[in-house]
Amino acid sequence: MQTPSSSPPKPITEVWKPELVALPRLTRTRRIMRRLVVSLIKAIGWFTLRVTARGLEHVPEKGPAIIVINHLGDADVVLMASALRILPDAMGKIELNDHWLVGPVFRAYGVIWVHRGRADRRALHAALDGLAEGRMIALAPEGRQSVSGGLEEGTEGAAFLAMKSGAPIVPIAMTGTGNDIVYGNLHRFKRSAVTLTVGKPFFLQEQPDRREMMRDGTRQIMESLAELLPESYQGNYKNTRAENLR
């Protein structure tokens, strides 16, 4: 496992396709497609994962809400679909739009595409529009799959959405979904033991200084995920809450 200091810089999207960034319209066809896509992913999860889910009582029945997750691997989506009954709007990297398999599936479901590492105001506005409509928006504040297996430094997108919308934040932490684990087990025709833990929703603390609120809000969000994870998965946020309380 890499140390936090050895993690490479956050990715910056090379492609620029702002015309693809929008809040998906919830038409009747879209709602049907979402249920079909989730049913397919659940079937994949049944064959590939052994799921243990905790804290499902903390998942709100309706929005607005901002769902934040730790991002370990491709199976994160499969685990969430397998364990949760909600159909949130997700924010995903624009590069996946061109993937031969994931692209069509995500377009059928409808996601808010994001240009990572760039000032993507259209994506933020789309997410805020979704929250204003009472939707749930799911995103990974680390901004990529963890390269170390533990929590990486959080980016400020989730805190910005919470600050602007006033929506509650719902932390969801996962273990066992790293690509090396899941694909390795698939080669041995073995299901992977994975966990999903939902924490209690919370609101960011109001502060007069907006920049300080963004920084402190990002820290709160990442610490809320760290509290739900075993120590080996806490990465950059191992023991940070204890240090901040001193």
Side-chain angles (χ1 to χ4, degrees):
M1 182 175 289
Q2 292 180 319
T3 61
S5 60
S6 67
S7 297
K10 298 286 186 181
I12 298 176
T13 301
E14 295 182 1
V15 298
W16 182 248
K17 297 180 179 179
E19 68 278 5
L20 299 181
V21 180
L23 178 68
R25 294 176 55 205
L26 292 181
T27 62
R28 182 172 181 271
T29 300
R30 171 62 46 72
R31 293 176 189 275
I32 293 172
M33 290 304 299
R34 285 193 170 186
R35 295 195 178 279
L36 289 174
V37 167
V38 170
S39 296
L40 173 63
I41 295 176
K42 283 179 180 288
I44 295 173
W46 191 86
F47 284 105
T48 60
L49 306 176
R50 288 191 291 110
V51 177
T52 299
R54 308 181 184 92
L56 297 181
E57 68 276 10
H58 298 313
V59 179
E61 295 183 1
K62 59 182 181 178
I66 301 167
I67 297 172
V68 295
I69 67 168
N70 64 315
H71 194 9
L72 294 172
D74 299 338
D76 294 343
V77 172
V78 181
L79 173 53
M80 290 184 68
S82 299
L84 304 177
R85 295 184 178 180
I86 58 175
L87 298 173
D89 286 277
M91 304 185 76
K93 62 180 182 180
I94 189 71
E95 293 90 338
L96 291 177
N97 181 64
D98 295 323
H99 191 278
W100 70 273
L101 176 60
V102 178
V105 173
F106 277 21
R107 288 194 297 272
Y109 184 90
V111 301
I112 301 172
W113 296 117
V114 177
H115 297 84
R116 298 179 300 168
R118 305 178 71 169
D120 197 343
R121 293 182 178 86
R122 288 183 65 126
L124 291 172
H125 289 159
L128 287 172
D129 288 344
L131 293 168
E133 292 181 11
R135 302 196 202 184
M136 299 186 194
I137 305 295
L139 70 158
E142 293 167 281
R144 67 174 173 200
Q145 290 183 2
S146 174
V147 298
S148 66
L151 280 176
E152 295 189 356
E153 204 67 37
T155 59
E156 294 184 343
F160 176 84
L161 294 177
M163 181 180 72
K164 287 291 186 179
S165 68
I169 298 163
V170 183
I172 296 182
M174 292 172 279
T175 68
T177 51
N179 289 343
D180 55 340
I181 297 173
V182 175
Y183 291 128
N185 283 333
L186 283 176
H187 290 153
R188 295 188 291 271
F189 301 100
K190 179 181 177 182
R191 292 196 298 167
S192 298
V194 297
T195 71
L196 180 144
T197 306
V198 185
K200 293 181 179 179
F202 66 94
F203 294 88
L204 291 190
Q205 301 171 3
E206 286 287 343
Q207 298 183 28
D209 186 327
R210 292 303 224 182
R211 287 303 308 165
E212 184 63 28
M213 183 176 176
M214 288 268 286
R215 288 191 293 269
D216 192 57
T218 300
R219 177 186 57 78
Q220 290 180 54
I221 289 168
M222 299 309 296
E223 287 180 354
S224 73
L225 290 169
E227 288 181 347
L228 302 175
L229 290 166
E231 189 174 291
S232 60
Y233 282 86
Q234 291 175 356
N236 286 48
Y237 295 89
K238 181 179 177 181
N239 301 324
T240 55
R241 177 172 288 276
E243 292 172 0
N244 288 322
L245 292 176
R246 289 176 184 172

